[in-house]
Amino acid sequence: MVGLDDVFGDLFASVDSVVLFSPSGSYYERFAAVDDLDVIVVGTENAVGAEPFVELPLEFEEITDRIRFGLEGALEQGVIEDGDTLACATSVFSDEIDTVSRVRADAEAQTGIYDLFVKSRADPEVVKAVLELAIELGKKGQKGKPVGALFVVGDAGKVMNKSRPLSYNPFEKSHVHVGDPIVNVMLKEFSRLDGAFIISDAGKIVSAYRYLEPSAEGVDIPKGLGARHMAGGAITRDTNAIAIVLSESDGLVRAFKAGELILEVDPEAY
Ligand SMILES: Nc1ncnc2c1ncn2[C@@H]1O[C@H](COP(=O)(O)OP(=O)(O)OP(=O)(O)O)[C@@H](O)[C@H]1O
Ligand SMILES: [Mn+2]
């Protein structure tokens, strides 16, 4: 195996920082002990008490999403710089770190996936809860049948002004919040019905059954997506809300912000 270290060593030669994705404590300690090495930890929680730490809103199954999100967050937090070369160490096949990717941080290529959570008007926990709900709904369907759903999160007053009721609002006088298990059951139940759910910055369910009437001018969403996605995308251009859409037809969960598609995940992968 002579020379193998040299060849694979190129992967981490002269990197600016090492980015560890959800390392175990002992794994992290080994890196932290190396002199003059910038180590950044990325994960859904800071189990190793690392500094700097970049929080992931969910454990992206796709390694490219995971790394992209982590690096966008690290750029936003100023712990790496545009053009830095990074060795990103993550797990693909097991719970342990088994893969290293050499990646250059590119501020130009930002997808906005980090901003979606952290820089949205809505509380990141709320965005996370809605995304998880949409993924769960996509995975299981409703009573075994695929369902679609549209959640508009944040800037609820303005969203209400740009929409109208399709039916009586079951959340009219209630003060319930997304993330509460009982509320999630209700949301799943109501997802069979038409229209959008409107959720406030703090996660309060403001309304179900809303028909969105945003101006679709200047909205650039991929061709082939229908009215639900168009309405969801467009409302995020017209307001400071974000939209999380579960497609009944292709089963994917998509997130829109500022009129653009930011994130696409396959619930089956979670
Ligand atoms: N403007 C709107 N506001 C709220 N909900 C809407 C709006 N337009 C469509 N919908 C909802 O989306 C549902 C599906 O519509 P459509 O098939 O055109 O959308 P789609 O983008 O193709 O979504 P899917 O991938 O789930 O089929 C409608 O039955 C309706 O409940
Ligand atoms: Mn459709």
Side-chain angles (χ1 to χ4, degrees), residues 119-191:
K119 291 236 186 112
S120 288
R121 272 185 54 131
D123 185 339
E125 289 303 312
V126 172
V127 179
K128 183 174 170 171
V130 175
L131 190 62
E132 281 173 353
L133 175 68
I135 288 171
E136 199 182 310
L137 203 54
K139 220 168 15 191
K140 296 198 188 125
Q142 182 62 16
K143 308 209 160 72
K145 284 212 204 93
V147 286
L150 167 53
F151 302 95
V152 184
V153 187
D155 207 3
K158 208 160 169 197
V159 174
M160 289 300 276
N161 285 336
K162 291 188 182 281
S163 60
R164 65 176 73 209
L166 287 167
S167 177
Y168 144 82
N169 174 19
F171 294 96
E172 174 88 64
K173 293 213 166 63
S174 66
H175 285 274
V176 294
H177 285 72
V178 69
D180 176 332
I182 292 168
V183 176
N184 284 0
V185 171
M186 288 166 78
L187 289 176
K188 283 186 200 166
E189 199 56 44
F190 290 130
S191 66

Side-chain angles (χ1 to χ4, degrees), residues 69 72 76 110-124 127 150-155 218-222 229-245 254-264:
F69 190 100
E72 288 193 20
E76 287 285 338
Q110 299 265 70
T111 59
I113 197 177
Y114 184 80
D115 285 8
L116 178 71
F117 290 90
V118 181
K119 291 236 186 112
S120 288
R121 272 185 54 131
D123 185 339
V127 179
L150 167 53
F151 302 95
V152 184
V153 187
D155 207 3
V219 177
D220 182 25
I221 72 164
H229 293 84
M230 180 56 83
I235 196 79
T236 71
R237 216 191 108 88
D238 242 10
T239 68
N240 289 313
I242 62 151
I244 293 177
V245 187
R254 296 180 177 84
F256 297 88
K257 187 178 181 181
E260 283 176 31
L261 175 65
I262 300 290
L263 172 70
E264 196 170 79

Side-chain angles (χ1 to χ4, degrees), residues 2 39 44 113 197:
V2 174
V39 182
T44 51
I113 197 177
F197 292 103

